[in-house]
Amino acid sequence: TRHGVGGDEANLVQQAKNMDSSNDASDDMDEDEERDYDENPTQLFMYLQQRAWGLALTQLKEHPDEARVWVYRKSKPEKAPNVPDADDHSKAMVVQHTALVVHDGNEMPKYRWKLLPLHAAIVLGAPTEIIQDIVRAYPNAAKRTDERGSLPVHLAASRLDVDPEGEKVVLQLFGAYPDSIEMQDRKGRTPPELAKLARSRKDIEEQRKINSSASQQSQVGMECTASQNGCDADDKDGDNDSNGSGDAEEDVDDDSSVKSNLSARFRQMLRKSKSTDTVDRRKKKKKKEKKCNKSPRTKMAATMIATMITRNPPRIRPNAN
Protein backbone atom coordinates (compact mmCIF):
# COMPACT_ATOMS: atom_id res chain seq x y z
CA THR A 1 0.00 0.00 0.00
CA ARG A 2 2.80 2.39 0.84
CA HIS A 3 4.37 1.61 -2.52
CA GLY A 4 1.12 2.50 -4.23
CA VAL A 5 0.86 5.74 -2.30
CA GLY A 6 4.42 6.55 -3.24
CA GLY A 7 3.60 5.91 -6.86
CA ASP A 8 0.58 8.19 -6.64
CA GLU A 9 2.73 10.95 -5.12
CA ALA A 10 5.21 10.63 -7.96
CA ASN A 11 2.40 10.91 -10.46
CA LEU A 12 1.07 14.00 -8.72
CA VAL A 13 4.49 15.60 -8.80
CA GLN A 14 4.83 14.83 -12.49
CA GLN A 15 1.39 16.28 -13.17
CA ALA A 16 2.32 19.43 -11.28
CA LYS A 17 5.46 19.78 -13.37
CA ASN A 18 3.45 19.32 -16.54
CA MET A 19 0.99 21.98 -15.41
CA ASP A 20 3.84 24.36 -14.66
CA SER A 21 5.38 23.76 -18.06
CA SER A 22 2.04 24.31 -19.75
CA ASN A 23 1.58 27.54 -17.81
CA ASP A 24 5.06 28.66 -18.84
CA ALA A 25 4.24 27.89 -22.46
CA SER A 26 1.03 29.89 -22.23
CA ASP A 27 2.97 32.71 -20.61
CA ASP A 28 5.48 32.60 -23.47
CA MET A 29 2.64 32.84 -25.95
CA ASP A 30 1.26 35.86 -24.14
CA GLU A 31 4.73 37.41 -23.89
CA ASP A 32 5.25 37.12 -27.63
CA GLU A 33 2.11 39.06 -28.56
CA GLU A 34 3.13 41.64 -31.12
CA ARG A 35 1.38 44.60 -32.67
CA ASP A 36 2.26 46.74 -35.62
CA TYR A 37 2.86 50.35 -34.65
CA ASP A 38 1.33 51.64 -37.88
CA GLU A 39 -1.84 49.52 -37.56
CA ASN A 40 -2.88 48.66 -34.00
CA PRO A 41 -0.48 49.78 -31.26
CA THR A 42 -1.53 49.50 -27.65
CA GLN A 43 -2.91 52.55 -25.92
CA LEU A 44 -0.25 52.25 -23.23
CA PHE A 45 2.51 52.44 -25.81
CA MET A 46 0.96 55.51 -27.42
CA TYR A 47 0.68 57.30 -24.07
CA LEU A 48 4.32 56.51 -23.36
CA GLN A 49 5.39 57.83 -26.75
CA GLN A 50 3.45 61.06 -26.13
CA ARG A 51 5.03 61.31 -22.66
CA ALA A 52 1.56 61.48 -21.13
CA TRP A 53 2.74 59.90 -17.90
CA GLY A 54 -0.51 60.33 -15.97
CA LEU A 55 -2.60 58.70 -18.70
CA ALA A 56 -0.01 55.94 -19.01
CA LEU A 57 -0.32 55.14 -15.31
CA THR A 58 -4.09 55.05 -15.54
CA GLN A 59 -4.00 52.81 -18.62
CA LEU A 60 -1.52 50.49 -16.94
CA LYS A 61 -3.74 50.09 -13.89
CA GLU A 62 -6.83 49.41 -15.98
CA HIS A 63 -5.09 47.17 -18.56
CA PRO A 64 -1.94 45.66 -16.99
CA ASP A 65 -1.81 43.02 -19.74
CA GLU A 66 -0.60 45.70 -22.19
CA ALA A 67 2.74 45.73 -20.33
CA ARG A 68 3.66 42.42 -22.06
CA VAL A 69 2.69 43.38 -25.63
CA TRP A 70 5.48 44.06 -28.11
CA VAL A 71 5.07 46.97 -30.49
CA TYR A 72 7.18 47.02 -33.62
CA ARG A 73 7.71 48.77 -36.93
CA LYS A 74 9.05 46.94 -39.96
CA SER A 75 10.68 48.07 -43.16
CA LYS A 76 10.02 46.05 -46.28
CA PRO A 77 12.52 46.23 -49.15
CA GLU A 78 10.94 47.63 -52.27
CA LYS A 79 11.40 46.08 -55.65
CA ALA A 80 14.25 47.70 -57.52
CA PRO A 81 13.17 49.66 -60.59
CA ASN A 82 14.27 48.48 -63.98
CA VAL A 83 17.42 50.24 -65.10
CA PRO A 84 17.34 50.78 -68.85
CA ASP A 85 20.41 50.14 -70.92
CA ALA A 86 22.41 53.15 -71.97
CA ASP A 87 23.60 51.57 -75.18
CA ASP A 88 21.19 53.67 -77.18
CA HIS A 89 22.48 56.90 -75.63
CA SER A 90 25.69 58.08 -77.23
CA LYS A 91 26.40 60.61 -74.48
CA ALA A 92 26.13 58.12 -71.64
CA MET A 93 29.36 57.78 -69.65
CA VAL A 94 28.45 54.51 -67.88
CA VAL A 95 26.44 51.68 -69.37
CA GLN A 96 24.24 50.03 -66.73
CA HIS A 97 22.86 46.63 -67.65
CA THR A 98 21.67 45.53 -64.22
CA ALA A 99 20.81 47.17 -60.91
CA LEU A 100 23.48 47.10 -58.22
CA VAL A 101 21.00 45.81 -55.59
CA VAL A 102 18.34 43.44 -56.77
CA HIS A 103 15.06 43.09 -54.86
CA ASP A 104 12.29 40.97 -56.27
CA GLY A 105 9.82 42.16 -53.62
CA ASN A 106 9.59 38.73 -51.93
CA GLU A 107 12.01 39.41 -49.05
CA MET A 108 10.68 39.22 -45.51
CA PRO A 109 10.25 42.57 -43.80
CA LYS A 110 12.88 43.45 -41.22
CA TYR A 111 12.34 45.10 -37.87
CA ARG A 112 13.24 48.73 -37.68
CA TRP A 113 12.56 48.51 -33.95
CA LYS A 114 10.69 46.22 -31.57
CA LEU A 115 10.03 47.28 -28.00
CA LEU A 116 8.11 46.37 -24.90
CA PRO A 117 6.51 49.18 -22.90
CA LEU A 118 9.40 48.87 -20.45
CA HIS A 119 11.98 49.50 -23.20
CA ALA A 120 9.98 52.44 -24.52
CA ALA A 121 9.53 53.98 -21.07
CA ILE A 122 13.28 53.86 -20.40
CA VAL A 123 14.24 55.30 -23.78
CA LEU A 124 11.68 58.10 -23.44
CA GLY A 125 12.82 59.02 -19.92
CA ALA A 126 9.69 58.04 -18.03
CA PRO A 127 9.53 58.67 -14.25
CA THR A 128 10.62 55.90 -11.91
CA GLU A 129 7.02 55.38 -10.80
CA ILE A 130 6.02 54.23 -14.28
CA ILE A 131 9.08 51.99 -14.57
CA GLN A 132 8.21 50.39 -11.25
CA ASP A 133 4.55 49.80 -12.16
CA ILE A 134 5.46 48.25 -15.53
CA VAL A 135 7.90 45.87 -13.83
CA ARG A 136 5.21 44.93 -11.31
CA ALA A 137 2.68 44.28 -14.07
CA TYR A 138 5.17 42.21 -16.08
CA PRO A 139 8.33 41.22 -14.15
CA ASN A 140 9.79 39.21 -17.06
CA ALA A 141 10.06 42.42 -19.08
CA ALA A 142 13.40 43.04 -17.32
CA LYS A 143 14.71 39.83 -18.94
CA ARG A 144 13.63 40.55 -22.51
CA THR A 145 15.93 42.08 -25.12
CA ASP A 146 14.91 44.43 -27.88
CA GLU A 147 15.65 43.91 -31.57
CA ARG A 148 19.23 45.10 -30.98
CA GLY A 149 19.94 42.64 -28.20
CA SER A 150 19.77 45.15 -25.34
CA LEU A 151 18.12 44.46 -22.02
CA PRO A 152 16.19 47.26 -20.32
CA VAL A 153 19.06 47.68 -17.89
CA HIS A 154 21.45 48.20 -20.81
CA LEU A 155 19.26 51.02 -22.08
CA ALA A 156 18.97 52.60 -18.64
CA ALA A 157 22.72 52.39 -17.94
CA SER A 158 23.56 54.06 -21.25
CA ARG A 159 21.28 57.01 -20.37
CA LEU A 160 22.85 57.96 -17.04
CA ASP A 161 24.32 61.08 -18.62
CA VAL A 162 20.93 62.47 -19.69
CA ASP A 163 18.43 60.95 -17.23
CA PRO A 164 18.46 62.55 -13.74
CA GLU A 165 16.71 59.46 -12.30
CA GLY A 166 18.78 56.98 -14.28
CA GLU A 167 20.53 55.49 -11.24
CA LYS A 168 17.19 54.73 -9.56
CA VAL A 169 15.95 53.03 -12.72
CA VAL A 170 19.10 50.92 -12.97
CA LEU A 171 18.75 49.79 -9.36
CA GLN A 172 15.09 48.87 -9.94
CA LEU A 173 16.02 46.77 -12.95
CA PHE A 174 18.87 45.06 -11.08
CA GLY A 175 16.37 44.18 -8.37
CA ALA A 176 13.99 42.69 -10.93
CA TYR A 177 16.76 40.76 -12.71
CA PRO A 178 19.93 40.47 -10.56
CA ASP A 179 21.82 38.38 -13.12
CA SER A 180 21.61 41.21 -15.64
CA ILE A 181 24.60 42.92 -14.02
CA GLU A 182 26.84 40.50 -15.91
CA MET A 183 24.80 40.26 -19.12
CA GLN A 184 26.36 41.64 -22.28
CA ASP A 185 24.71 43.35 -25.19
CA ARG A 186 25.55 42.55 -28.81
CA LYS A 187 28.70 44.64 -28.57
CA GLY A 188 29.91 42.77 -25.50
CA ARG A 189 29.24 45.57 -23.00
CA THR A 190 27.84 44.97 -19.53
CA PRO A 191 25.59 47.47 -17.72
CA PRO A 192 28.43 48.67 -15.45
CA GLU A 193 30.59 49.35 -18.50
CA LEU A 194 27.77 51.28 -20.16
CA ALA A 195 27.24 53.24 -16.96
CA LYS A 196 30.94 54.13 -16.88
CA LEU A 197 30.81 55.37 -20.46
CA ALA A 198 27.73 57.45 -19.71
CA ARG A 199 29.39 59.06 -16.68
CA SER A 200 32.44 59.86 -18.79
CA ARG A 201 30.24 61.62 -21.33
CA LYS A 202 28.56 63.53 -18.52
CA ASP A 203 31.90 64.63 -17.05
CA ILE A 204 33.11 65.80 -20.45
CA GLU A 205 29.94 67.80 -20.99
CA GLU A 206 30.16 69.41 -17.55
CA GLN A 207 33.80 70.33 -18.14
CA ARG A 208 32.87 71.85 -21.48
CA LYS A 209 30.20 73.98 -19.82
CA ILE A 210 32.67 75.12 -17.14
CA ASN A 211 35.24 76.11 -19.76
CA SER A 212 32.61 77.92 -21.79
CA SER A 213 31.40 79.83 -18.73
CA ALA A 214 34.96 80.77 -17.76
CA SER A 215 35.71 82.03 -21.26
CA GLN A 216 32.54 84.12 -21.25
CA GLN A 217 33.43 85.64 -17.88
CA SER A 218 36.94 86.48 -19.03
CA GLN A 219 35.55 88.09 -22.16
CA VAL A 220 33.15 90.17 -20.08
CA GLY A 221 36.04 91.21 -17.83
CA MET A 222 38.11 92.31 -20.82
CA GLU A 223 35.22 94.34 -22.18
CA CYS A 224 34.69 96.01 -18.80
CA THR A 225 38.40 96.87 -18.58
CA ALA A 226 38.42 98.24 -22.10
CA SER A 227 35.28 100.23 -21.33
CA GLN A 228 36.85 101.73 -18.20
CA ASN A 229 40.00 102.66 -20.10
CA GLY A 230 37.88 104.25 -22.79
CA CYS A 231 36.00 106.31 -20.23
CA ASP A 232 39.27 107.49 -18.61
CA ALA A 233 40.63 108.47 -22.01
CA ASP A 234 37.41 110.37 -22.73
CA ASP A 235 37.77 112.29 -19.45
CA LYS A 236 41.36 113.28 -20.27
CA ASP A 237 40.45 114.32 -23.78
CA GLY A 238 37.52 116.27 -22.40
CA ASP A 239 39.82 118.27 -20.09
CA ASN A 240 42.14 119.07 -22.98
CA ASP A 241 39.27 120.02 -25.23
CA SER A 242 37.89 122.50 -22.66
CA ASN A 243 40.90 124.74 -23.39
CA GLY A 244 40.64 124.28 -27.15
CA SER A 245 38.95 126.33 -29.81
CA GLY A 246 35.36 126.28 -30.97
CA ASP A 247 36.29 124.21 -34.02
CA ALA A 248 37.59 121.41 -31.84
CA GLU A 249 34.36 121.45 -29.80
CA GLU A 250 32.31 121.19 -32.96
CA ASP A 251 34.37 118.18 -34.02
CA VAL A 252 33.73 116.51 -30.66
CA ASP A 253 30.00 117.19 -31.00
CA ASP A 254 30.01 115.68 -34.48
CA ASP A 255 31.78 112.59 -33.24
CA SER A 256 29.51 112.11 -30.21
CA SER A 257 26.48 111.41 -32.37
CA VAL A 258 28.36 108.63 -34.11
CA LYS A 259 30.01 107.22 -31.02
CA SER A 260 26.71 106.98 -29.16
CA ASN A 261 25.95 103.85 -31.19
CA LEU A 262 29.33 102.27 -30.54
CA SER A 263 30.54 100.40 -27.51
CA ALA A 264 32.91 102.11 -25.11
CA ARG A 265 35.56 99.63 -26.15
CA PHE A 266 36.14 101.45 -29.43
CA ARG A 267 35.90 105.07 -28.27
CA GLN A 268 39.59 105.45 -27.71
CA MET A 269 40.30 103.97 -31.14
CA LEU A 270 37.88 106.43 -32.68
CA ARG A 271 39.57 109.41 -31.09
CA LYS A 272 42.98 108.29 -32.36
CA SER A 273 41.62 107.99 -35.86
CA LYS A 274 40.41 111.60 -36.18
CA SER A 275 41.28 113.55 -39.27
CA THR A 276 44.61 115.35 -39.58
CA ASP A 277 42.91 118.70 -40.18
CA THR A 278 41.49 118.78 -36.69
CA VAL A 279 44.91 118.06 -35.17
CA ASP A 280 46.52 120.80 -37.27
CA ARG A 281 43.89 123.33 -36.20
CA ARG A 282 44.54 122.53 -32.56
CA LYS A 283 48.30 123.00 -33.01
CA LYS A 284 47.81 126.38 -34.71
CA LYS A 285 45.52 127.57 -31.94
CA LYS A 286 48.02 126.57 -29.29
CA LYS A 287 50.78 128.55 -31.07
CA LYS A 288 48.57 131.65 -31.19
CA GLU A 289 47.80 131.33 -27.51
CA LYS A 290 51.49 131.14 -26.71
CA LYS A 291 52.15 134.33 -28.66
CA CYS A 292 49.26 136.21 -27.06
CA ASN A 293 49.79 135.00 -23.52
CA LYS A 294 53.23 136.24 -22.43
CA SER A 295 55.06 134.84 -19.53
CA PRO A 296 54.92 136.62 -16.11
CA ARG A 297 58.59 137.61 -16.28
CA THR A 298 58.09 139.37 -19.60
CA LYS A 299 55.11 141.32 -18.20
CA MET A 300 57.08 142.36 -15.11
CA ALA A 301 60.00 143.61 -17.17
CA ALA A 302 57.73 145.65 -19.40
CA THR A 303 56.06 147.22 -16.34
CA MET A 304 59.41 148.23 -14.82
CA ILE A 305 60.55 149.83 -18.06
CA ALA A 306 57.34 151.83 -18.36
CA THR A 307 57.69 153.07 -14.75
CA MET A 308 61.26 154.26 -15.27
CA ILE A 309 60.31 156.12 -18.39
CA THR A 310 57.52 157.89 -16.53
CA ARG A 311 59.68 158.96 -13.60
CA ASN A 312 62.74 159.96 -15.62
CA PRO A 313 61.59 161.15 -18.99
CA PRO A 314 64.39 161.52 -21.51
CA ARG A 315 65.83 165.05 -21.91
CA ILE A 316 65.68 166.57 -25.36
CA ARG A 317 68.64 168.75 -26.19
CA PRO A 318 67.86 172.01 -28.03
CA ASN A 319 69.14 172.43 -31.46
CA ALA A 320 72.23 174.60 -31.68
CA ASN A 321 70.94 176.20 -34.76
Side-chain angles (χ1 to χ4, degrees), residues 25 35 64 71 83 89 113 116 129 137 204 289 314:
R35 295 192 185 185
V71 179
V83 180
H89 302 279
W113 49 264
L116 281 171
E129 182 181 0
I204 293 173
E289 288 177 357

Side-chain angles (χ1 to χ4, degrees), residues 1-21:
T1 304
R2 291 181 181 177
H3 180 71
V5 173
D8 293 339
E9 290 179 354
N11 292 331
L12 292 174
V13 171
Q14 186 64 33
Q15 290 177 4
K17 290 182 179 180
N18 294 333
M19 291 178 63
D20 292 338
S21 61

Side-chain angles (χ1 to χ4, degrees), residues 97-213:
H97 295 278
T98 57
L100 296 178
V101 180
V102 179
H103 295 297
D104 57 3
N106 296 325
E107 290 85 354
M108 294 298 295
K110 296 182 179 180
Y111 286 111
R112 294 178 58 185
W113 49 264
K114 179 183 176 183
L115 304 173
L116 281 171
L118 182 58
H119 299 102
I122 293 171
V123 172
L124 296 172
T128 55
E129 182 181 0
I130 294 180
I131 304 295
Q132 185 176 0
D133 289 349
I134 293 176
V135 173
R136 287 176 180 175
Y138 182 35
N140 286 336
K143 303 177 181 179
R144 307 301 300 272
T145 59
D146 60 5
E147 85 287 351
R148 297 183 179 180
S150 298
L151 290 170
V153 70
H154 290 137
L155 301 176
S158 62
R159 285 177 48 84
L160 289 179
D161 57 330
V162 295
D163 191 355
E165 298 183 348
E167 293 183 358
K168 296 181 180 179
V169 175
V170 171
L171 292 177
Q172 289 178 355
L173 296 173
F174 279 151
Y177 186 24
D179 294 338
S180 63
I181 192 171
E182 298 178 355
M183 300 293 291
Q184 297 180 351
D185 59 5
R186 288 185 179 178
K187 295 183 179 180
R189 300 171 299 184
T190 61
E193 292 175 350
L194 292 172
K196 185 177 180 180
L197 292 174
R199 290 194 182 97
S200 299
R201 291 195 302 268
K202 185 176 181 180
D203 294 340
I204 293 173
E205 181 64 20
E206 290 179 353
Q207 187 64 35
R208 187 190 65 81
K209 290 181 180 180
I210 292 173
N211 295 336
S212 177
S213 177

Side-chain angles (χ1 to χ4, degrees), residues 45-77:
F45 193 91
M46 296 305 297
Y47 285 149
L48 292 174
Q49 185 187 23
Q50 297 169 5
R51 291 182 171 83
W53 311 129
L55 296 176
L57 284 174
T58 302
Q59 184 70 18
L60 185 60
K61 292 178 181 179
E62 295 178 354
H63 303 278
D65 56 322
E66 291 187 3
R68 62 180 62 212
V69 179
W70 292 89
V71 179
Y72 65 87
R73 172 173 279 182
K74 292 184 178 181
S75 59
K76 184 177 180 181

Side-chain angles (χ1 to χ4, degrees), residues 234-263:
D234 290 342
D235 294 339
K236 292 180 181 180
D237 291 341
D239 294 339
N240 295 330
D241 291 342
S242 61
N243 297 326
S245 63
D247 294 337
E249 294 177 356
E250 290 179 358
D251 292 335
V252 173
D253 294 336
D254 293 338
D255 293 339
S256 62
S257 61
V258 178
K259 289 183 293 183
S260 60
N261 296 327
L262 299 175
S263 63

